Each structure stands twice: as structure tokens, then as C-alpha cells.
Amino acid sequence: MATEEKPYRVYRGGRTKGKVPLERPERARPDRNGRGPREPKIRRPRRRWGWKRRLGIGLLVLLVLATVWGIAGYLSFRHGVEKANARLDKSVPPVLANQSGLLLSNPTTMLLLGRDHENTDQRVGLNNSDSIMILRTDPSRHRLVYLSIPRDLRVPIPGHGEDRINTAFPLGGAALTIRTIQNLTGLEINHVMIVDFRSFKSLIDNIGGIDVNVPAPILSNKFDCPYKASRCASWPGYRFQKGTQHMNGQRALIYSRIRENQLNPADSDITRGLRQQAVIRAVMAKLLGFGTVLKLPFNGDSLLNPLTTDLSAWQFTQLGWVLKRAGQKNALHCRLGGTATSIGGASVIVGNEDNLSVVQMVTGRAAPQPPRPGSGQYGPGCVVGNRQFR
């Protein structure tokens, strides 16, 4: 068969029809027969991160996490504060004195009221203020002053004549109590905080307990026995040793409710008020501390359920910083007082001129002085730091 040029070219994979393609010069390619190994690719070595770069990125991640955590905690805490603000009676803000500037740099005076509806004392069951205390801050001097007011102190109550100061609350709520105290002391009250002892137990447990300095050993009477009736008959009562003790919510609530110390017959209702105020101070310090801040995203909304106040979340934050910087070591603890007597069958404390001197000590216009010798267990005066009233 004759050989001749065919109008197509045969390739290994088949053929293509059409005109015979023109010869094209082949590109220069490496000499490879398809079976030899490819030339290895040369990769640039990766630079390993140095410790400075790792540290910087780690710090940046921590900063972002801390910021997110702080914002979440603050929003949760702010919501709890807003609910505490909503519980405050509308008649209270008009009687409060305006706060001058920030709490961080300006003095402020706050009224702390404690109520305990579950207490066996019937007067407290009538919604009386069970504990009355004024907290005065002076950030420029890093100074804290606590002024205790006995609930049985007989004072003029605006529009109601003279009576025990704790009756102002059931007569006109916190607003009347504030007006009564302002007239009595001459101090302008900038803020108010009302503590409900019924819910105090859960608050203390949520912040991990509190540390309270017990000034003397205590053996209470047999109130609120935690055991069965057969065992309660021989149960001596609650015991508290002298010194600083860590208390959970139940223990702190019992401590604040003790009305009778079988180890010291001189203990009175005023010493019980001092115990309550020690618990409130410890809670305030712990509540506004750094450890509680870390838990705010989880419990900030419910943490303030026992509180009613006009303070905003930002003012709470400022107050926490002021309390932290001032500390409790050199805090001034003062109390009003007088002479115990009976009027109309009711036990009351009649004040004297020493109360005016105590107010001067609170404002810093007079040097702190303890109660006068012989003034008794209700003597007015001031002590510094951990010293106790005699």
C-alpha cells in the first residue's frame, strides 16, 4: 500500500481532524522523560516567634478578655443597682442633700438603715429601723467615720413630737428618718442605703462570707434553736469566741440578732446594734472588693436584692474605691448616747450635750474623744480603729 502524507496527525491520545498543524518550535523544557523525580522545591524557613512577640500577644488577649469580662460584670451589676433604686420610695430623693462632685474626691454622708422583720422583737416586726448608722467619707484625708445612733434614743420627730428615733421609719419611712437625723445632728445626708436582714444571708454567702471582729466571747440565749425540741432543751445557745472570725450568711445573721450575752450581763441593745453595724461594714467592704467584682457577670443582677438605695452603679464603684483606699485600720467609730430611763413605760435613752461634741468629732472640727468616765454603757464618744467602747 502506497505511503502518502495523511491529512491528520496521530497522537498518543487519539487524533485531530482538520488541516495539518504547522510545526511550532518547542519550548525549552527541562530534560525529563516523565519517569525521573521532580526537582525539590525550595521553601523559605519559617521564622519562629520570639518570647517578646508571644508575651505581647498573650497580654493583648488577656486585655481583651478582661475588658469583655468587666463590661459584662458592670452591666449585670448596673441592672441590680437599677432594681435597688426602683425599690426606694419616691419621697426619699427630695429630702437628700445634693452630692457635691464625685465621691472619689469629695466628702459624702450616707445613712445606713438595717431592718429585720424576722426578729422576735415585736418593735422590729412593726417595720422599725433596727440599726441606724451614718457613714461619712473624706477622700482627701483617706478618712472614714462611722456614727452609730441607738434606736432607743429619744429625739424630736418632725410632725410627731418626741419618741424613739426608730419609730420614725414606720411613721414616715426613710424620708422621715432622714429629716429626723438631719435635724438632730445638723449633718446633711447625701445618700441612703436600707439593708433587709431577711435577705442578708444569701448576700453574704454569694460574696464568700465575711470577716468580723468579735470584741468579747458571747453565749447567746436559746433563740432560733437549730435542733429538734429534745436537744434544744439542753442546748446552751450560740457561742462566739473573741477575735476575728469568718462567718457565712447564717452565722453572720445569728451574730447580728443576739440580744442577750449570758457571759456579760452588761451587754445591751446598744451592743447588739454595734454587732449589726460590724456585720454591715464587713459586707460593704467585701461587696465592693476586687474578689466580688470577678463574680459580677454571674451574680451581679441578684447580688443587691437585700439593698434599697439611691446610689447609682457608678457611685457604688467610686464608693468601693474610697473604702479600699481609706481602709478600716484608722477609721473613726463614734456613737450618740445619753442616759437610760423609762418614759411612759417604755425604755428610752435621753441624750445630753455630749452628743453635740460627738457631731463635731464626726465632721473633724474636734479631736476624737472616748466616752467620759462614768458615762455608762450609753456614753457618747469616739474611738479609733479596732478600739472598743468601754
Side-chain angles (χ1 to χ4, degrees), residues 11-91:
Y11 296 91
R12 181 175 299 177
R15 66 182 182 178
T16 60
K17 295 181 179 181
K19 296 180 180 181
V20 178
L22 298 176
E23 295 289 339
R24 294 181 181 177
E26 295 185 359
R27 295 179 181 177
R29 292 182 300 177
D31 185 15
R32 249 186 17 225
N33 56 12
R35 293 191 296 269
R38 291 178 177 268
E39 293 183 2
K41 293 183 179 181
I42 300 176
R43 297 182 179 180
R44 297 178 62 183
R46 292 183 179 179
R47 293 183 60 186
R48 303 179 68 87
W49 286 5
W51 66 271
K52 291 183 179 180
R53 190 175 183 184
R54 294 182 181 182
L55 179 61
I57 292 178
L59 291 176
L60 180 61
V61 171
L62 288 177
L63 179 61
V64 172
L65 291 176
T67 302
V68 172
W69 192 278
I71 293 175
Y74 182 78
L75 292 177
S76 176
F77 180 71
R78 187 179 67 178
H79 189 247
V81 173
E82 289 172 350
K83 292 194 294 185
N85 296 156
R87 290 190 288 267
L88 187 66
D89 192 272
K90 302 302 181 183
S91 63

Coordinates of all heavy atoms in Angstrom, one line a residue, residues 11-91:
Y11 N -1.9 11.2 17.5 CA -1.2 11.4 18.8 C -1.5 10.2 19.7 O -2.3 9.4 19.4 CB -1.8 12.7 19.5 CG -1.5 14.0 18.7 CD1 -2.4 14.4 17.7 CD2 -0.3 14.7 18.9 CE1 -2.1 15.6 17.0 CE2 0.0 15.8 18.2 CZ -0.9 16.3 17.2 OH -0.6 17.4 16.5
R12 N -0.8 10.2 20.7 CA -1.0 9.1 21.6 C -2.4 9.0 22.2 O -2.9 7.9 22.4 CB 0.0 9.2 22.8 CG 0.0 8.0 23.8 CD 1.1 8.1 24.8 NE 2.4 8.1 24.1 CZ 3.5 8.2 24.8 NH1 3.5 8.4 26.1 NH2 4.7 8.1 24.1
G13 N -3.0 10.1 22.4 CA -4.4 10.1 23.0 C -5.4 10.1 21.9 O -6.6 10.2 22.2
G14 N -5.1 10.0 20.6 CA -6.2 10.0 19.6 C -5.7 10.8 18.4 O -4.5 10.9 18.2
R15 N -6.6 11.3 17.7 CA -6.2 12.1 16.5 C -7.1 13.4 16.4 O -8.1 13.4 17.0 CB -6.3 11.3 15.3 CG -7.8 10.9 14.9 CD -7.8 10.1 13.7 NE -9.2 9.8 13.3 CZ -9.5 9.1 12.2 NH1 -8.5 8.6 11.5 NH2 -10.8 8.9 11.9
T16 N -6.6 14.3 15.7 CA -7.3 15.5 15.5 C -7.6 15.7 14.0 O -6.7 15.5 13.2 CB -6.6 16.8 16.0 OG1 -5.3 16.8 15.4 CG2 -6.4 16.6 17.5
K17 N -8.8 16.1 13.7 CA -9.1 16.3 12.3 C -8.8 17.7 11.9 O -8.7 18.6 12.7 CB -10.6 16.0 12.0 CG -10.9 14.5 12.3 CD -12.4 14.3 12.0 CE -12.8 12.8 12.2 NZ -14.2 12.5 11.9
G18 N -8.8 17.9 10.6 CA -8.5 19.2 10.1 C -7.2 19.3 9.4 O -6.6 18.3 9.0
K19 N -6.8 20.5 9.2 CA -5.5 20.7 8.5 C -4.4 20.3 9.3 O -4.4 20.3 10.5 CB -5.4 22.2 8.1 CG -6.5 22.6 7.1 CD -6.3 24.1 6.7 CE -7.4 24.6 5.8 NZ -7.2 26.0 5.4
V20 N -3.4 20.0 8.6 CA -2.1 19.6 9.3 C -1.6 20.8 10.0 O -1.4 21.9 9.3 CB -1.1 19.0 8.3 CG1 0.2 18.7 9.0 CG2 -1.7 17.8 7.6
P21 N -1.4 20.8 11.3 CA -0.9 22.0 12.0 C 0.5 22.3 11.6 O 1.3 21.4 11.3 CB -1.0 21.6 13.5 CG -1.0 20.1 13.5 CD -1.6 19.6 12.2
L22 N 0.8 23.5 11.7 CA 2.2 23.9 11.4 C 3.1 23.5 12.5 O 2.7 23.4 13.6 CB 2.2 25.4 11.2 CG 1.4 26.0 10.0 CD1 1.4 27.5 10.1 CD2 1.8 25.4 8.7
E23 N 4.3 23.3 12.1 CA 5.3 22.9 13.1 C 5.6 24.2 13.9 O 5.9 25.2 13.4 CB 6.6 22.4 12.4 CG 6.3 21.1 11.7 CD 6.1 20.0 12.6 OE1 6.5 20.1 13.8 OE2 5.5 19.0 12.2
R24 N 5.6 24.0 15.2 CA 6.0 25.1 16.1 C 7.2 24.7 16.9 O 7.4 23.5 17.3 CB 4.8 25.4 17.1 CG 3.6 25.9 16.4 CD 2.5 26.2 17.4 NE 1.3 26.7 16.8 CZ 0.2 27.0 17.4 NH1 0.2 26.8 18.7 NH2 -0.9 27.4 16.8
P25 N 8.0 25.6 17.2 CA 9.2 25.3 17.9 C 8.8 25.0 19.4 O 8.0 25.6 20.0 CB 10.0 26.6 17.9 CG 9.0 27.7 17.6 CD 7.9 27.1 16.8
E26 N 9.4 23.9 19.8 CA 9.2 23.5 21.2 C 9.8 24.4 22.2 O 10.9 24.9 22.0 CB 9.7 22.1 21.4 CG 8.9 21.1 20.6 CD 9.4 19.7 20.9 OE1 10.3 19.6 21.8 OE2 8.8 18.7 20.3
R27 N 9.1 24.6 23.3 CA 9.6 25.4 24.4 C 10.7 24.7 25.1 O 10.7 23.5 25.2 CB 8.5 25.8 25.4 CG 7.4 26.7 24.8 CD 6.4 27.0 25.9 NE 5.3 27.8 25.3 CZ 4.3 28.2 26.0 NH1 4.2 27.8 27.3 NH2 3.4 28.9 25.5
A28 N 11.6 25.5 25.6 CA 12.7 24.9 26.3 C 12.2 24.3 27.6 O 11.6 25.1 28.4 CB 13.8 25.9 26.5
R29 N 12.3 23.1 27.8 CA 11.8 22.4 29.0 C 13.0 21.6 29.6 O 13.9 21.2 28.9 CB 10.7 21.5 28.7 CG 9.4 22.3 28.3 CD 8.3 21.3 28.1 NE 8.6 20.3 27.1 CZ 7.8 19.3 26.7 NH1 6.6 19.2 27.4 NH2 8.1 18.5 25.7
P30 N 12.9 21.4 30.8 CA 13.9 20.6 31.4 C 13.9 19.2 30.8 O 12.9 18.7 30.5 CB 13.6 20.6 32.9 CG 12.2 21.0 33.0 CD 11.9 21.8 31.8
D31 N 15.1 18.7 30.7 CA 15.2 17.3 30.1 C 14.6 16.3 31.1 O 15.3 15.9 32.1 CB 16.7 17.1 29.8 CG 16.8 15.7 29.1 OD1 15.8 15.2 28.6 OD2 18.0 15.3 29.0
R32 N 13.4 15.9 30.8 CA 12.7 14.9 31.7 C 12.0 13.9 30.9 O 11.4 14.2 29.9 CB 11.7 15.6 32.6 CG 12.1 15.7 34.0 CD 11.0 16.2 34.9 NE 9.7 16.3 34.4 CZ 8.9 17.3 34.6 NH1 9.4 18.4 35.1 NH2 7.7 17.3 34.1
N33 N 12.1 12.7 31.2 CA 11.5 11.7 30.4 C 10.2 11.2 31.1 O 9.5 10.3 30.7 CB 12.4 10.5 30.3 CG 12.9 9.9 31.6 OD1 12.4 10.3 32.6 ND2 13.9 9.0 31.6
G34 N 9.7 12.0 32.2 CA 8.5 11.6 32.8 C 8.6 10.6 33.9 O 7.7 10.4 34.6
R35 N 9.7 10.0 33.9 CA 9.9 8.9 35.0 C 10.9 9.3 36.1 O 10.9 8.8 37.1 CB 10.4 7.6 34.3 CG 9.4 7.0 33.4 CD 9.9 5.6 33.0 NE 11.1 5.7 32.2 CZ 11.2 5.7 30.9 NH1 10.1 5.8 30.2 NH2 12.4 5.8 30.3
G36 N 11.6 10.4 35.8 CA 12.6 10.8 36.8 C 11.9 11.7 37.9 O 10.8 12.2 37.7
P37 N 12.5 11.8 39.1 CA 11.9 12.6 40.2 C 12.0 14.1 39.9 O 12.9 14.6 39.2 CB 12.8 12.3 41.4 CG 14.1 11.9 40.8 CD 13.8 11.2 39.4
R38 N 10.9 14.8 40.3 CA 10.9 16.2 40.2 C 12.0 16.9 41.0 O 12.4 16.4 42.1 CB 9.6 16.8 40.6 CG 8.4 16.4 39.6 CD 7.1 17.0 40.2 NE 6.0 16.7 39.3 CZ 5.6 17.6 38.3 NH1 6.3 18.7 38.1 NH2 4.6 17.2 37.5
E39 N 12.4 18.0 40.6 CA 13.4 18.8 41.4 C 12.7 19.3 42.6 O 11.6 19.8 42.6 CB 13.9 19.9 40.6 CG 14.8 19.5 39.4 CD 15.4 20.7 38.7 OE1 15.1 21.8 39.2 OE2 16.0 20.5 37.7
P40 N 13.3 19.1 43.8 CA 12.6 19.6 45.0 C 12.4 21.1 45.1 O 13.3 21.8 44.6 CB 13.6 19.1 46.1 CG 14.9 19.0 45.4 CD 14.6 18.6 44.0
K41 N 11.2 21.5 45.6 CA 11.0 22.9 45.8 C 11.7 23.4 47.0 O 11.7 22.8 48.1 CB 9.5 23.2 45.9 CG 8.7 22.9 44.7 CD 7.3 23.3 44.9 CE 6.5 23.0 43.6 NZ 5.0 23.3 43.8
I42 N 12.3 24.6 46.9 CA 13.0 25.2 48.0 C 12.1 26.1 48.7 O 11.5 27.0 48.1 CB 14.2 25.9 47.5 CG1 15.2 25.0 46.7 CG2 14.9 26.6 48.6 CD1 16.4 25.7 46.1
R43 N 11.8 25.8 50.0 CA 10.9 26.6 50.8 C 11.7 27.4 51.8 O 12.6 26.9 52.4 CB 9.9 25.7 51.6 CG 9.0 24.9 50.7 CD 8.0 24.1 51.6 NE 7.1 23.3 50.7 CZ 6.1 22.5 51.2 NH1 6.0 22.4 52.6 NH2 5.3 21.9 50.4
R44 N 11.2 28.6 51.9 CA 11.9 29.5 52.8 C 11.5 29.1 54.3 O 10.4 28.9 54.6 CB 11.4 31.0 52.6 CG 11.7 31.5 51.3 CD 11.2 32.9 51.1 NE 11.8 33.8 52.1 CZ 11.5 35.1 52.2 NH1 10.5 35.6 51.4 NH2 12.1 35.8 53.1
P45 N 12.5 29.0 55.1 CA 12.2 28.6 56.5 C 11.3 29.6 57.3 O 11.5 30.8 57.1 CB 13.6 28.5 57.1 CG 14.4 29.4 56.3 CD 13.9 29.3 54.9
R46 N 10.4 29.1 58.1 CA 9.5 30.0 58.9 C 10.3 30.5 60.0 O 11.1 29.8 60.7 CB 8.3 29.2 59.4 CG 7.3 28.8 58.3 CD 6.2 28.1 59.0 NE 5.2 27.7 58.0 CZ 4.0 27.1 58.3 NH1 3.8 26.8 59.6 NH2 3.2 26.8 57.4
R47 N 10.0 31.8 60.3 CA 10.6 32.4 61.5 C 9.8 32.1 62.7 O 8.6 32.3 62.8 CB 10.7 33.9 61.3 CG 11.6 34.4 60.1 CD 11.6 35.9 60.1 NE 12.1 36.4 61.3 CZ 12.2 37.7 61.6 NH1 11.7 38.6 60.7 NH2 12.6 38.2 62.8
R48 N 10.5 31.5 63.7 CA 9.8 31.2 64.9 C 9.5 32.5 65.8 O 10.3 33.4 65.8 CB 10.7 30.2 65.7 CG 11.0 28.9 65.0 CD 11.9 28.0 65.8 NE 11.1 27.5 66.9 CZ 10.4 26.4 66.9 NH1 10.3 25.7 65.8 NH2 9.7 26.0 68.0
W49 N 8.3 32.5 66.4 CA 8.0 33.6 67.3 C 8.9 33.7 68.5 O 9.2 32.8 69.2 CB 6.6 33.6 67.8 CG 5.6 33.8 66.7 CD1 5.8 34.0 65.4 CD2 4.1 33.9 66.9 NE1 4.6 34.3 64.7 CE2 3.6 34.2 65.6 CE3 3.3 33.8 68.0 CZ2 2.2 34.4 65.4 CZ3 1.9 34.0 67.8 CH2 1.4 34.2 66.5
G50 N 9.4 34.9 68.7 CA 10.2 35.2 69.9 C 9.4 35.3 71.1 O 8.1 35.5 71.0
W51 N 10.0 35.3 72.3 CA 9.2 35.4 73.5 C 8.6 36.8 73.7 O 7.5 36.9 74.3 CB 10.2 35.1 74.7 CG 11.2 36.1 74.9 CD1 12.5 36.1 74.4 CD2 11.1 37.3 75.7 NE1 13.2 37.2 74.8 CE2 12.4 38.0 75.7 CE3 10.1 37.8 76.5 CZ2 12.6 39.1 76.3 CZ3 10.3 39.0 77.2 CH2 11.6 39.7 77.1
K52 N 9.2 37.8 73.1 CA 8.6 39.1 73.2 C 7.3 39.2 72.5 O 6.3 39.7 72.9 CB 9.5 40.2 72.7 CG 10.8 40.4 73.6 CD 11.6 41.5 73.0 CE 12.9 41.7 73.9 NZ 13.7 42.8 73.4
R53 N 7.3 38.6 71.3 CA 6.0 38.6 70.5 C 4.9 37.8 71.1 O 3.8 38.1 71.2 CB 6.3 38.1 69.1 CG 5.2 38.2 68.1 CD 5.6 37.8 66.7 NE 4.6 38.0 65.7 CZ 4.6 37.7 64.5 NH1 5.8 37.1 64.0 NH2 3.6 37.9 63.6
R54 N 5.3 36.6 71.7 CA 4.4 35.8 72.4 C 3.8 36.5 73.6 O 2.6 36.4 73.9 CB 5.0 34.4 72.8 CG 5.4 33.6 71.6 CD 6.0 32.3 72.0 NE 6.4 31.4 70.9 CZ 6.9 30.2 71.0 NH1 7.1 29.7 72.3 NH2 7.3 29.5 70.0
L55 N 4.7 37.1 74.3 CA 4.2 37.8 75.5 C 3.3 39.0 75.1 O 2.2 39.2 75.8 CB 5.4 38.4 76.3 CG 5.1 39.2 77.6 CD1 4.4 38.3 78.6 CD2 6.4 39.7 78.1
G56 N 3.6 39.7 74.1 CA 2.7 40.8 73.7 C 1.4 40.3 73.3 O 0.3 40.9 73.6
I57 N 1.3 39.2 72.5 CA 0.0 38.7 72.0 C -0.8 38.2 73.2 O -2.0 38.3 73.3 CB 0.2 37.6 71.0 CG1 0.8 38.3 69.7 CG2 -1.1 36.9 70.7 CD1 1.1 37.3 68.6
G58 N -0.1 37.5 74.2 CA -0.7 37.0 75.3 C -1.4 38.1 76.2 O -2.5 38.0 76.7
L59 N -0.6 39.2 76.4 CA -1.1 40.3 77.1 C -2.3 41.0 76.4 O -3.3 41.4 77.1 CB 0.0 41.4 77.3 CG 1.1 40.9 78.3 CD1 2.2 42.0 78.3 CD2 0.6 40.7 79.7
L60 N -2.2 41.0 75.1 CA -3.4 41.6 74.3 C -4.6 40.7 74.5 O -5.7 41.3 74.7 CB -3.0 41.7 72.9 CG -4.0 42.3 71.9 CD1 -4.4 43.7 72.3 CD2 -3.6 42.2 70.5
V61 N -4.5 39.4 74.4 CA -5.6 38.5 74.6 C -6.2 38.7 76.0 O -7.4 38.8 76.2 CB -5.2 37.1 74.4 CG1 -6.3 36.1 74.8 CG2 -4.9 36.8 72.9
L62 N -5.3 38.8 77.0 CA -5.8 39.0 78.4 C -6.5 40.3 78.6 O -7.5 40.4 79.3 CB -4.6 38.9 79.4 CG -4.0 37.5 79.6 CD1 -2.8 37.6 80.6 CD2 -5.1 36.5 80.2
L63 N -6.0 41.3 77.9 CA -6.6 42.6 78.0 C -8.0 42.6 77.4 O -9.0 43.2 78.0 CB -5.7 43.7 77.3 CG -6.3 45.1 77.3 CD1 -6.4 45.6 78.7 CD2 -5.4 46.0 76.5
V64 N -8.2 41.9 76.2 CA -9.5 41.8 75.6 C -10.4 41.1 76.5 O -11.6 41.5 76.7 CB -9.3 41.2 74.2 CG1 -10.7 40.9 73.6 CG2 -8.5 42.1 73.3
L65 N -10.0 39.9 77.0 CA -10.8 39.1 77.9 C -11.3 39.9 79.2 O -12.4 39.9 79.6 CB -10.1 37.8 78.3 CG -9.9 36.8 77.2 CD1 -9.1 35.6 77.7 CD2 -11.3 36.3 76.7
A66 N -10.3 40.6 79.8 CA -10.6 41.4 81.0 C -11.6 42.5 80.6 O -12.5 42.8 81.4 CB -9.3 42.0 81.5
T67 N -11.5 43.1 79.5 CA -12.4 44.2 79.1 C -13.8 43.7 78.9 O -14.8 44.2 79.4 CB -11.9 44.9 77.8 OG1 -10.6 45.4 78.0 CG2 -12.8 46.0 77.4
V68 N -13.9 42.5 78.2 CA -15.2 41.9 78.0 C -15.8 41.5 79.3 O -17.0 41.7 79.6 CB -15.1 40.7 77.0 CG1 -16.4 39.9 76.9 CG2 -14.6 41.2 75.6
W69 N -15.0 40.9 80.2 CA -15.5 40.5 81.5 C -15.9 41.7 82.3 O -17.0 41.6 83.0 CB -14.4 39.7 82.2 CG -14.8 39.0 83.4 CD1 -15.0 39.5 84.7 CD2 -15.1 37.6 83.5 NE1 -15.4 38.5 85.5 CE2 -15.5 37.3 84.8 CE3 -15.2 36.5 82.6 CZ2 -15.9 36.0 85.3 CZ3 -15.5 35.3 83.0 CH2 -15.9 35.0 84.3
G70 N -15.2 42.7 82.3 CA -15.5 43.9 83.1 C -16.8 44.5 82.6 O -17.6 45.0 83.4
I71 N -17.0 44.6 81.3 CA -18.2 45.2 80.7 C -19.4 44.3 81.1 O -20.5 44.9 81.5 CB -18.1 45.4 79.2 CG1 -17.0 46.4 78.8 CG2 -19.4 45.7 78.6 CD1 -16.7 46.5 77.4
A72 N -19.3 43.0 80.9 CA -20.4 42.1 81.3 C -20.7 42.2 82.8 O -21.9 42.3 83.2 CB -20.0 40.7 80.9
G73 N -19.7 42.3 83.6 CA -19.9 42.4 85.1 C -20.6 43.7 85.4 O -21.5 43.8 86.2
Y74 N -20.1 44.8 84.8 CA -20.7 46.1 85.1 C -22.1 46.2 84.7 O -23.0 46.7 85.4 CB -19.9 47.2 84.5 CG -20.4 48.6 84.8 CD1 -20.1 49.2 86.0 CD2 -21.1 49.3 83.9 CE1 -20.5 50.5 86.3 CE2 -21.6 50.6 84.1 CZ -21.3 51.2 85.4 OH -21.7 52.4 85.6
L75 N -22.5 45.7 83.5 CA -23.8 45.7 83.0 C -24.8 44.9 83.9 O -25.9 45.3 84.2 CB -23.9 45.2 81.6 CG -23.2 46.0 80.5 CD1 -23.3 45.4 79.2 CD2 -23.9 47.4 80.5
S76 N -24.3 43.7 84.4 CA -25.1 42.9 85.3 C -25.2 43.6 86.6 O -26.3 43.7 87.2 CB -24.4 41.5 85.5 OG -25.1 40.8 86.5
F77 N -24.2 44.2 87.2 CA -24.2 44.9 88.4 C -25.1 46.2 88.3 O -25.9 46.4 89.2 CB -22.8 45.4 88.8 CG -22.7 46.1 90.1 CD1 -22.9 45.5 91.3 CD2 -22.4 47.5 90.1 CE1 -22.9 46.2 92.5 CE2 -22.4 48.2 91.3 CZ -22.6 47.5 92.5
R78 N -25.0 46.9 87.2 CA -25.9 48.0 87.0 C -27.4 47.7 87.0 O -28.2 48.4 87.5 CB -25.5 48.7 85.7 CG -26.2 50.1 85.4 CD -25.8 50.7 84.2 NE -26.3 49.9 83.0 CZ -26.1 50.3 81.7 NH1 -25.4 51.4 81.5 NH2 -26.5 49.6 80.8
H79 N -27.7 46.5 86.4 CA -29.1 46.1 86.4 C -29.6 45.8 87.8 O -30.7 46.2 88.2 CB -29.2 44.9 85.5 CG -30.7 44.5 85.3 ND1 -31.2 43.3 85.8 CD2 -31.7 45.1 84.6 CE1 -32.5 43.3 85.4 NE2 -32.8 44.3 84.7
G80 N -28.7 45.2 88.6 CA -29.1 45.0 90.0 C -29.2 46.3 90.8 O -30.1 46.5 91.6
V81 N -28.4 47.3 90.5 CA -28.5 48.6 91.2 C -29.8 49.3 90.7 O -30.4 50.0 91.6 CB -27.3 49.5 90.8 CG1 -27.5 50.9 91.3 CG2 -26.0 48.9 91.4
E82 N -30.1 49.2 89.5 CA -31.4 49.8 89.0 C -32.6 49.3 89.7 O -33.5 50.0 90.0 CB -31.5 49.6 87.5 CG -30.5 50.5 86.7 CD -30.5 50.1 85.2 OE1 -31.2 49.1 84.8 OE2 -29.9 50.8 84.4
K83 N -32.6 48.0 90.0 CA -33.7 47.4 90.7 C -33.7 47.9 92.2 O -34.7 48.1 92.8 CB -33.6 45.9 90.7 CG -33.9 45.3 89.3 CD -34.1 43.8 89.3 CE -32.9 43.0 89.7 NZ -33.2 41.5 89.6
A84 N -32.5 48.0 92.8 CA -32.4 48.6 94.1 C -32.9 50.0 94.2 O -33.5 50.5 95.1 CB -30.9 48.5 94.6
N85 N -32.6 50.8 93.1 CA -33.1 52.2 93.0 C -34.6 52.2 92.9 O -35.3 53.1 93.5 CB -32.5 52.9 91.8 CG -31.0 53.1 91.9 OD1 -30.3 53.2 90.9 ND2 -30.4 53.0 93.1
A86 N -35.2 51.2 92.2 CA -36.6 51.2 92.0 C -37.4 50.9 93.3 O -38.5 51.3 93.4 CB -37.0 50.2 90.9
R87 N -36.7 50.2 94.2 CA -37.3 49.9 95.5 C -37.4 51.1 96.4 O -38.1 51.0 97.5 CB -36.6 48.7 96.1 CG -36.8 47.4 95.4 CD -36.2 46.2 96.3 NE -34.8 46.2 96.3 CZ -34.0 45.5 95.5 NH1 -34.6 44.8 94.5 NH2 -32.7 45.5 95.6
L88 N -36.7 52.1 96.1 CA -36.6 53.3 97.0 C -37.9 54.1 96.8 O -38.3 54.4 95.7 CB -35.4 54.1 96.7 CG -35.1 55.3 97.6 CD1 -34.7 54.8 99.0 CD2 -34.0 56.2 97.1
D89 N -38.5 54.5 98.0 CA -39.7 55.3 97.9 C -39.4 56.7 97.3 O -38.4 57.3 97.5 CB -40.2 55.5 99.4 CG -41.6 56.1 99.4 OD1 -41.7 57.3 99.3 OD2 -42.6 55.3 99.4
K90 N -40.4 57.1 96.5 CA -40.2 58.4 95.7 C -40.1 59.6 96.6 O -39.6 60.7 96.2 CB -41.4 58.6 94.8 CG -41.6 57.4 93.8 CD -40.3 57.2 92.9 CE -40.6 56.1 91.9 NZ -39.3 55.8 91.1
S91 N -40.5 59.5 97.9 CA -40.4 60.6 98.8 C -39.0 60.8 99.3 O -38.7 61.9 100.0 CB -41.3 60.4 100.0 OG -41.0 59.3 100.7

